[in-house]
Amino acid sequence: MLRDIRKSNIGVAAAICAAAALPVLTATPASAATITYNVTSNCWNYSSHCSGNEVVDDPLYVNYHSVSTSGEGNPSGSFAEFYGNVSNYGSETSHSENTDYVYHYVYLSGYGDGSGQAVKNNAASANNCSTVNGYRIYFYSGYGGHSQSIPHYFSCASSTNLDSTLKNNNASQHFA
């Protein structure tokens, strides 16, 4: 059931990403403007991946809570969804002509505990829904330090608890 809720929220999360735009600074003649967004997905960076037309068919869900036993079910609470590599769960930046866009990753609002909180250093489990790639979650931004493989479970039906080193100390993810 939760998988169905999560799968149906890909469009919802993208809409939330677009609706959460908050201009922060305006440009001065010698500098670029900065616009900051709170987003629950990295679809801003991988729109073709998010539509299922590329190599990454399904996301890695990063969950605010653990499950009672790894490999069983999905946890309560909020989640964020990521496609492909994410070098920093804190934020990523893109540049366009005279504007810098900063994307802060947060948990999806309205889904219980964790809603709206930062993803970086707040995850307890993950759900690998990709049918073609494995994922690793890392301790440091830029894919560094201790890491853990997040296996794929049939039908995206189960989550993997992060080990004691990574639980609430997570900063990036990469294809395994």
Side-chain angles (χ1 to χ4, degrees):
M1 169 93 175
L2 186 55
R3 179 183 183 273
D4 294 335
I5 291 169
R6 289 180 177 181
K7 293 300 254 180
S8 69
N9 281 322
I10 291 173
V12 172
I16 290 170
C17 290
L22 300 173
V24 178
L25 302 172
T26 58
T28 60
S31 68
T34 299
I35 300 174
T36 301
Y37 297 88
N38 285 335
V39 295
T40 61
S41 173
N42 65 334
C43 284
W44 64 269
N45 196 17
Y46 292 103
S47 61
S48 60
H49 292 283
C50 298
S51 68
N53 295 329
E54 297 292 328
V55 175
V56 180
D57 293 327
D58 294 303
L60 177 72
Y61 290 106
V62 178
N63 305 309
Y64 185 77
H65 283 300
S66 299
V67 288
S68 57
T69 304
S70 277
E72 293 185 8
N74 291 304
S76 62
S78 194
F79 58 91
E81 62 182 333
F82 296 107
Y83 296 79
N85 302 333
V86 178
S87 66
N88 185 350
Y89 281 151
S91 66
E92 293 190 76
T93 303
S94 69
H95 308 282
S96 174
E97 208 165 298
N98 290 321
T99 305
D100 291 334
Y101 298 94
V102 179
Y103 299 89
H104 293 285
Y105 295 120
V106 297
Y107 288 105
L108 186 62
S109 293
Y111 282 86
D113 295 343
S115 292
Q117 292 188 31
V119 173
K120 187 172 185 176
N121 297 328
N122 277 319
S125 66
N127 188 335
N128 179 0
C129 295
S130 176
T131 57
V132 295
N133 288 300
Y135 284 102
R136 292 194 83 76
I137 292 182
Y138 293 84
F139 188 85
Y140 292 116
S141 296
Y143 323 115
H146 177 75
S147 69
Q148 179 181 348
S149 176
I150 308 299
H152 171 78
Y153 291 103
F154 178 74
S155 190
C156 191
S158 297
S159 293
T160 300
N161 288 330
L162 297 180
D163 63 32
S164 61
T165 301
L166 290 174
K167 183 175 181 177
N168 297 321
N169 288 301
N170 51 288
S172 60
Q173 76 181 45
H174 200 282
F175 287 131

